Amino acid sequence: MTQASAPAGSHQGGLPYALAAYGIWGFVPLFFKLLESVPPVEVLAQRIIWSLPLCFLIMVFRRQIGDYLAALRDPRVLRMLLASALLIAVNWLVYIFAIFTDHVLAASLGYYLNPLVNVMLGMLFLGERLGRLQLVAVVIAGIGVAILLAGALDTLWISLTLALSFGFYGLIRKIVPVGSLPGLAIETTLLMPLALAVSGWYLWIGDGRGFGSDGAISLLLMAGGIVTAVPLLLFATAARRMSYAALGFAQYLAPTLQFLLGLFAFHEPLKPVQLACFVLIWISIAVFSFDMWRKMRAERVGGSI
């Protein structure tokens, strides 16, 4: 399943699914804020535990259990998915930590950087060549990150960890021959023993903050599985119905919503160096998006000849 295989004229059909997926991801800090009394590691463990049953239900509905079982029998696929599982676990943990410690702006910057990181990884590992405008966009983004080194080093690690972990995660998932949902199910299966151990530890110490301590908290932790699996399913549906370039425009919705939440809902202070970095990143994204739009338009014109 590749985005490039989307049929011509199907961009509008996939757009509602893409907007729904990125909209959920954009507003998800509001959900995790409700759990900030729970240790971030336990939130991560519960997210893994409750994602797997929902993944199985969706796979049964979509008849993808066979894909899941076939991938489990392939040692090479399992090794690659173990690596991607560790990367996505790091990404989820740092993201939860960022929300709990009032660094949503730093998290949004990380996801703004992610598409540009993907371009760099494609060049380094997939032999893809940077176009002139893509190179300009990456250089502008690099200048923005360098500015953060001068005055916001305390949160720069959050942004870079999120961007790099998700970038390498996407690189592996691009290479491994398994669909989005079966892949996520295998990743959560591989992480399950550790997640159960962590959850069992917190249940045993009984600090009164996590699963089982309060009915509302327990239900919210269980809902973490829905928050994980549903937007991924929406994203996978959008990817089948849209071109990669068209999907690229929608992906900036999530970090934009996160930025607005951090600024206006959570009232996080925006340092001058952070503002300068965001402005440069937005300029970089504008250049990058213009290049994507130009190529997409050229392909449409070429295909109609």
Side-chain angles (χ1 to χ4, degrees):
M1 179 185 67
T2 61
Q3 290 92 331
S5 63
S10 64
H11 305 311
Q12 289 185 345
L15 184 60
Y17 296 95
L19 294 178
Y22 286 114
I24 292 173
W25 282 328
F27 283 112
V28 82
L30 294 172
F31 172 79
F32 283 117
K33 274 289 186 181
L34 300 174
L35 291 167
E36 60 184 349
S37 63
V38 184
V41 176
E42 185 178 4
V43 175
L44 173 62
Q46 294 291 336
R47 185 178 186 180
I48 292 167
I49 290 170
W50 296 107
S51 294
L52 189 57
L54 187 57
C55 285
F56 270 111
L57 285 175
I58 299 173
M59 283 193 299
V60 168
F61 176 75
R62 298 181 65 184
R63 299 180 180 177
Q64 291 182 306
I65 294 294
D67 296 338
Y68 170 83
L69 296 175
L72 279 178
R73 292 191 291 265
D74 190 325
R76 178 176 174 272
V77 168
L78 278 182
R79 286 194 297 269
M80 296 178 72
L81 287 177
L82 176 59
S84 65
L86 295 174
L87 285 167
I88 199 61
V90 168
N91 184 273
W92 287 349
L93 181 60
V94 172
Y95 184 66
I96 293 167
F97 173 83
I99 294 172
F100 284 10
T101 56
D102 298 321
H103 293 312
V104 175
L105 292 178
S108 72
L109 176 59
Y111 289 115
Y112 271 128
L113 286 171
N114 179 246
L116 302 170
V117 168
N118 289 345
V119 170
M120 293 296 296
L121 293 177
M123 181 187 68
L124 293 172
F125 295 100
L126 301 177
E128 298 175 356
R129 298 181 61 184
L130 283 180
R132 186 178 302 173
L133 286 179
Q134 287 180 330
L135 182 60
V136 170
V138 170
V139 169
I140 294 173
I143 294 172
V145 172
I147 289 175
L148 283 186
L149 288 171
L153 191 59
D154 56 330
T155 60
L156 180 60
W157 72 270
I158 293 175
S159 303
L160 292 182
T161 300
L162 290 174
L164 291 172
S165 61
F166 203 69
F168 277 101
Y169 172 79
L171 178 66
I172 293 175
R173 292 305 305 271
K174 181 179 178 68
I175 297 171
V176 67
V178 64
S180 297
L181 190 58
L184 177 65
I186 292 175
E187 287 165 348
T188 50
T189 298
L190 294 172
L191 293 171
M192 186 62 71
L194 184 59
L196 289 172
V198 169
S199 179
W201 163 258
Y202 279 106
L203 280 173
W204 183 63
I205 63 174
D207 62 356
R209 294 186 294 167
F211 187 82
S213 62
D214 176 82
I217 291 294
S218 297
L219 288 174
L220 285 171
L221 287 170
M222 293 171 67
I226 299 175
V227 170
T228 299
V230 168
L232 182 74
L233 178 61
L234 291 168
F235 174 81
T237 303
R240 288 199 309 274
R241 301 186 181 199
M242 300 176 71
S243 71
Y244 184 81
L247 192 62
F249 287 105
Q251 68 186 341
Y252 297 113
L253 176 62
T256 299
L257 291 173
Q258 292 167 11
F259 175 83
L260 294 174
L261 284 176
L263 202 59
F264 297 111
F266 305 138
H267 307 292
E268 293 184 17
L270 184 62
K271 300 176 183 178
V273 289
Q274 287 178 307
L275 178 58
C277 178
F278 271 112
V279 169
L280 286 171
I281 295 298
W282 291 330
I283 293 172
S284 174
I285 288 170
V287 173
F288 183 71
S289 297
F290 172 75
D291 186 58
M292 289 172 56
W293 171 81
R294 188 184 63 168
K295 291 178 180 178
M296 190 168 62
R297 185 171 179 269
E299 289 174 359
R300 268 204 310 266
V301 172
S304 63
I305 294 175

